Amino acid sequence: MAHSHDMPTDLTRNQELVLGTLTASSGPLSAYDILDRLRTEGLRAPLQVYRALEKLVDRGLAHRLESLNAFVACADAHCHRKGLIAFAICEGCGKVDEFADAVIESRLGAWAHAEGFKVERTTMEIRGRCAQCLKAA
Amino acid sequence: MAHSHDMPTDLTRNQELVLGTLTASSGPLSAYDILDRLRTEGLRAPLQVYRALEKLVDRGLAHRLESLNAFVACADAHCHRKGLIAFAICEGCGKVDEFADAVIESRLGAWAHAEGFKVERTTMEIRGRCAQCLKAA
DNA sequence: AAATGATATGTTATGTTATTACGCTTGCGG
DNA sequence: CCGCAAGCGTAATAACATAACATATCATTT
């Protein structure tokens, strides 16, 4: 297998370029970071990147990290939108770990049900230091 | 009692103005929203607001909503920084509900412990519709 | 093939959010 | 009084995001 991120075949050129850039990166990238890396491919304007990102995020192929104003490729080729995802972001090396927790999801659901709140989207981001960076320090 | 948010007495003038503006608002405000409301008080530059916000957030008197790039006064005069706080943000009316959940906090702690990740700060924001807005629709 | 509609694209300009850099002021402990 | 830390004011700029408009691409229907 070439790589674990088998890219969907129905992406447009811009979407493919943007997803490729995210996948190749070891950490989150801002839209402008992505743009800079794709100038050689002919991209010129922020909007070209933002539009591609919007589609990718909608499809669950990429995630937006709100606390960073940046984006990452989805770590799990199969996760596509099933349930709440939490992110652990290391301030040291910039690496992002993506995980799901059914208990947290159900607690949130319980709270929402009790309040009559209809959940549309949940953001959950942990900032701190990963094990590797702690060891190095 | 004048109001439930007994403002600390050791705030600087700018901090007091900013916190007062947040407290008076029914919803989150961006730094620039705050600035606009404080021009009459003599504030002129974004930095004056950002500096005040930084201190207020550090002290737990205000919170930053990452998914909105905006700020709210802490809803609970006594919450000052004890534990993880979640926010439910209504897309309809803009109201923000603030709550804590010990189970979620402990699940997060367990994950972090298992991974050797040192948590410094956690962001948790739910976007959706509040009961009142759902009823109105 | 022509007409239609939905989706994607390219480009310019602009809007919004946040920080850097610099210098002055104020208050407090030594 | 001196020195230092914290706060303040101002200007400039950086970083992030969208509006508005014109074109293009492609499948579907006529």
Side-chain angles (χ1 to χ4, degrees):
Chain A
M1 186 174 5
H3 52 280
S4 59
H5 291 273
D6 297 288
M7 200 176 296
T9 57
D10 62 342
L11 297 175
T12 67
R13 170 173 159 80
N14 288 358
Q15 288 162 18
E16 202 176 304
L17 287 169
V18 168
L19 183 53
T21 304
L22 285 175
T23 301
S25 168
S26 65
L29 297 175
S30 76
Y32 281 75
D33 291 337
I34 296 169
L35 176 57
D36 286 340
R37 295 181 189 202
L38 290 175
R39 294 216 187 261
T40 56
E41 301 294 335
L43 267 66
R44 296 159 200 284
L47 203 46
Q48 295 176 289
V49 174
Y50 280 108
R51 288 202 274 228
L53 284 169
E54 188 187 355
K55 296 298 178 192
L56 294 171
V57 169
D58 279 354
R59 293 185 51 173
L61 298 170
H63 304 293
R64 178 189 174 94
L65 300 173
E66 301 284 359
S67 68
L68 242 38
N69 293 326
F71 301 83
V72 285
C74 179
D76 172 2
H78 310 299
C79 91
H80 304 353
R81 295 274 112 239
K82 51 164 187 285
L84 180 151
I85 307 170
F87 300 93
I89 302 165
C90 177
E91 318 260 39
C93 62
K95 279 233 292 288
V96 177
D97 203 340
E98 182 179 333
F99 67 99
D101 186 304
V103 173
I104 292 176
E105 191 165 2
S106 87
R107 291 294 290 184
L108 238 34
W111 177 91
H113 185 260
E115 295 287 323
F117 189 96
K118 183 175 170 223
V119 175
E120 255 141 38
R121 192 158 69 74
T122 302
T123 295
M124 192 154 165
E125 299 174 18
I126 307 174
R127 309 286 293 264
R129 297 245 157 200
C130 72
Q132 198 179 325
C133 285
L134 287 172
K135 203 161 44 182
Chain B
M1 185 176 356
H3 53 280
S4 58
H5 291 274
D6 299 289
M7 202 176 294
T9 56
D10 62 342
L11 297 175
T12 67
R13 170 173 158 81
N14 287 358
Q15 288 163 18
E16 202 176 303
L17 287 169
V18 168
L19 182 53
T21 304
L22 284 176
T23 302
S25 168
S26 64
L29 297 175
S30 77
Y32 282 77
D33 290 338
I34 295 168
L35 176 57
D36 286 340
R37 296 182 189 201
L38 289 175
R39 294 217 186 260
T40 56
E41 301 294 336
L43 267 65
R44 296 160 199 284
L47 201 46
Q48 295 176 290
V49 174
Y50 280 108
R51 287 203 273 229
L53 284 169
E54 188 187 355
K55 295 299 177 192
L56 294 171
V57 169
D58 278 354
R59 294 185 51 173
L61 298 170
H63 304 292
R64 178 188 174 95
L65 301 173
E66 301 284 359
S67 67
L68 243 37
N69 294 325
F71 301 83
V72 286
C74 179
D76 173 1
H78 310 297
C79 90
H80 303 354
R81 296 274 108 238
K82 51 165 188 287
L84 180 152
I85 306 170
F87 300 92
I89 302 165
C90 178
E91 318 259 40
C93 62
K95 280 233 290 289
V96 177
D97 202 339
E98 182 178 333
F99 66 100
D101 185 304
V103 173
I104 292 176
E105 192 166 2
S106 87
R107 290 294 290 185
L108 237 35
W111 177 91
H113 185 260
E115 295 287 322
F117 189 96
K118 184 176 167 222
V119 176
E120 255 141 37
R121 190 158 68 73
T122 302
T123 295
M124 192 154 164
E125 299 174 18
I126 306 174
R127 308 287 293 267
R129 296 247 156 199
C130 72
Q132 199 178 324
C133 285
L134 287 171
K135 202 161 44 183

